[in-house]
Amino acid sequence: MVARVEITEKAAGVLERLKQQHGPLLFHQSGGCCDGSAPMCLPIGDFRVGPQDVLMGQIGACNFYMGAAQFDYWRHTQLIIDVVPGRGAGFSAEAPEGVRFLTRSRVFTDDEVTELDGLGEPPRGE
């Protein structure tokens, strides 16, 4: 089954370190103009997921949510979460590490879109 979101090996390594430091984490990408325009990695409990947040899948055993309006633009695109040197979103767990998570993407093939459409709409937060 095709995944709506994946993670690079390098980003998975950073994520594992962050999980050891902070405990269970989640990702959220809202599509805002500042924090949230990039994927934010947050300790569970530090961010309240709402019904407008679409569950894109899991990476490194962490749920990845995207704002519904953002999802409407990205629904035909696979998100590939990577990590690069630099300063990330101020509230994101990786910020003190000198790296930031980054969303790369690729457009799904027609067969993948058909497969995903057959699954129905992805679940949303509560």
Side-chain angles (χ1 to χ4, degrees):
M1 182 174 90
V2 64
R4 290 190 181 276
V5 61
E6 294 196 344
I7 189 167
T8 65
E9 189 173 316
K10 187 175 177 183
V14 171
L15 179 58
E16 286 305 314
R17 284 199 319 269
L18 294 173
K19 286 169 32 181
Q20 291 175 4
Q21 294 172 12
H22 300 281
L25 301 168
L26 65 79
F27 281 87
H28 187 267
Q29 185 167 330
S30 67
C33 64
C34 301
D35 279 2
S37 58
M40 293 180 56
C41 182
L42 305 160
I44 289 179
D46 281 6
F47 183 82
R48 188 172 179 168
V49 177
Q52 74 285 354
D53 296 312
V54 177
L55 178 59
M56 303 291 288
Q58 284 199 323
I59 52 174
C62 300
N63 285 347
F64 189 104
Y65 293 93
M66 176 175 271
Q70 183 82 338
F71 175 69
D72 285 342
Y73 290 107
W74 292 65
R75 70 172 45 242
H76 298 295
T77 307
Q78 184 180 52
L79 309 178
I80 302 157
I81 306 305
D82 200 359
V83 67
V84 295
R87 183 181 165 96
F91 298 109
S92 195
E94 82 282 11
E97 302 286 321
V99 295
R100 62 186 175 100
F101 288 111
L102 173 79
T103 301
R104 300 187 189 281
S105 64
R106 71 169 184 89
V107 175
F108 288 123
T109 66
D110 290 344
D111 288 344
E112 290 170 329
V113 169
T114 299
E115 180 183 336
L116 290 169
D117 286 348
L119 298 174
E121 288 293 305
R124 294 186 176 215
E126 298 176 17

